[in-house]
């Protein structure tokens, strides 16, 4: 029986579980949280709409009882705290790294063969933490960022061009946030290069909006996004469990690809039953290489913060 665990029953985790159930990606979906009753309540709510939306995936909830997650095929980690006023970046890293470390230890104990998808922020360094703690091969510990970032990029382009977002294919690389690396050369609309359909000024403006897409939503709502991030994580789970071998940008430890070692960055990969089946190396031009190096430096700086905190 296929089984997925989503750790963290907040907005992102609950959305991920809901999408997984609605799309019948797994036969059982376990939602787990440290807050009493939250996971049980949201899982029950999702299950009660199964007769309405016509799906059979069973959702169950648990308050910090990882025995119910045993033998999960995929585990999605969304747990962690948002950055609060007065909290430094280092404070946030230390707090969330402790949470992700504890969660990962429980995952390894109860589901030693699982593939781990990290959604917790700061995403690149939390993927690093999960990888360190689990000891799993790099293809089985990956971060969700690129799918979300490209979805925002594609949505903005679809709006500007007045076309279906389904027709737009795109790749973004690098860290999650304002140092992400846009690749207009690899952006197409039904196979047509996007540069033939939109002016450089408008395209540049869309790229900038994409870089700060998360911040735009925080300003509007006073909190982080959840529908798109939760759906993006669910799409990764589906590609793995159904062995779809889809090409997605995901955060993974690089071991020489793009001339980069021991750094967690978003790159295009083939995603299938073994997690990352293959890292795809694009032939970047000098400008793109420079942007990727800038992003690498930023992510490595944050990874170094975690290394110092661990000493």
């Amino acid at each position: 029986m296929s089984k997925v665990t989503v750790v963290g029953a907040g907005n992102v985790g609950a959305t991920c579980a809901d999408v997984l159930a609605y799309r019948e990606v797994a036969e059982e979906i376990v939602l787990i949280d440290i807050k009493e009753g939250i996971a049980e309540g949201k899982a029950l709510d999702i299950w009660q709409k199964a007769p309405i939306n016509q799906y059979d995936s069973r959702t169950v909830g648990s308050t910090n009882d990882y025995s119910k997650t045993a033998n999960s095929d995929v585990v999605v980690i969304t747990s962690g705290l948002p950055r609060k006023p007065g909290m430094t970046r280092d404070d946030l890293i230390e707090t969330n790294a402790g949470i992700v470390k504890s969660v990962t230890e429980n995952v390894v104990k109860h589901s030693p063969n699982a593939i781990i998808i990290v959604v917790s922020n700061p995403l690149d360094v939390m993927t690093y933490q999960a990888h360190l703690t689990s000891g799993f091969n790099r293809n089985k510990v990956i971060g969700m960022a690129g799918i979300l970032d490209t979805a925002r990029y594609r949505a903005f382009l679809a709006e500007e061009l007045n076309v279906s977002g389904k027709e737009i294919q795109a790749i973004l690389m690098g860290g999650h946030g304002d140092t992400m690396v846009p690749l207009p050369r690899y952006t197409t609309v039904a196979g047509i290069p996007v540069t033939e359909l939109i002016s450089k000024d408008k395209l540049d403006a869309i790229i900038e909006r994409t870089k700060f897409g998360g911040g735009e939503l925080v300003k509007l709502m006073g909190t982080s996004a959840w529908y798109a991030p939760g759906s993006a994580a669910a799409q990764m789970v589906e590609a793995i469990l159904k062995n779809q071998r889809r090409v997605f940008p995901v955060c993974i430890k690089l071991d020489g690809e793009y001339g980069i070692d021991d750094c967690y960055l978003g790159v295009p990969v083939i995603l299938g039953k073994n997690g990352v089946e293959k890292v795809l190396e694009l032939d970047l031009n000098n400008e793109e290489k420079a942007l990727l190096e800038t992003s690498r430096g930023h992510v490595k700086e944050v990874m170094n913060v975690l290394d110092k905190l661990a000493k």
Side-chain angles (χ1 to χ4, degrees), residues 33-216:
D33 202 282
I34 60 171
K35 295 180 181 178
E36 186 72 36
I38 294 296
E40 291 90 339
K42 291 189 178 182
L44 181 59
D45 193 16
I46 294 170
W47 173 238
Q48 287 174 350
K49 73 180 181 69
I52 300 170
N53 287 341
Q54 301 288 294
Y55 56 80
D56 294 314
S57 293
R58 185 74 167 91
T59 50
V60 297
S62 170
T63 300
N64 223 29
D65 180 4
Y66 279 84
S67 66
K68 292 185 178 180
T69 74
N71 301 313
S72 293
D73 298 291
V74 182
V75 177
V76 181
I77 302 175
T78 72
S79 43
L81 299 177
R83 188 165 174 174
K84 299 176 181 177
M87 179 183 279
T88 67
R89 180 193 65 176
D90 291 9
D91 290 338
L92 179 66
I93 293 170
E94 183 174 19
T95 299
N96 283 352
I99 293 170
V100 171
K101 182 175 186 291
S102 175
V103 167
T104 305
E105 287 170 347
N106 280 302
V107 170
V108 173
K109 179 180 178 182
H110 294 280
S111 301
N113 297 313
I115 292 168
I116 298 174
I117 296 173
V118 180
V119 184
S120 308
N121 280 317
L123 185 126
D124 307 294
V125 73
M126 290 305 108
T127 306
Y128 175 36
Q129 177 66 73
H131 192 189
L132 284 177
T133 304
S134 69
F136 289 177
N137 290 335
R138 66 167 183 160
N139 66 299
K140 297 183 68 176
V141 185
I142 53 181
M144 187 291 296
I147 294 177
L148 171 62
D149 293 332
T150 53
R152 287 171 173 161
Y153 178 47
R154 291 163 65 197
F156 298 152
L157 283 170
E159 188 176 7
E160 176 63 33
L161 295 171
N162 196 24
V163 300
S164 168
K166 298 174 186 177
E167 300 294 346
I168 299 172
Q169 293 296 320
I171 288 288
L172 293 172
M173 292 177 59
H176 182 47
D178 57 7
T179 64
M180 71 177 68
V181 180
L183 298 172
R185 287 197 305 127
Y186 294 96
T187 303
T188 61
V189 182
I192 304 167
V194 73
T195 50
E196 295 185 16
L197 301 174
I198 190 171
S199 68
K200 185 178 184 305
D201 288 349
K202 287 184 177 179
L203 183 57
D204 288 345
I206 286 172
I207 288 170
E208 285 304 301
R209 188 182 180 191
T210 302
K211 288 181 179 180
F212 300 97
E216 179 180 356

Side-chain angles (χ1 to χ4, degrees), residues 9 25 36 58 114 272-273 300:
V25 171
E36 186 72 36
R58 185 74 167 91
K273 65 180 179 180
K300 195 65 178 177

Side-chain angles (χ1 to χ4, degrees), residues 296-309:
R296 183 208 65 80
H298 175 79
V299 171
K300 195 65 178 177
E301 180 184 320
V302 184
M303 286 174 60
N304 291 338
V305 171
L306 181 63
D307 289 338
K308 290 176 183 177
L309 289 170

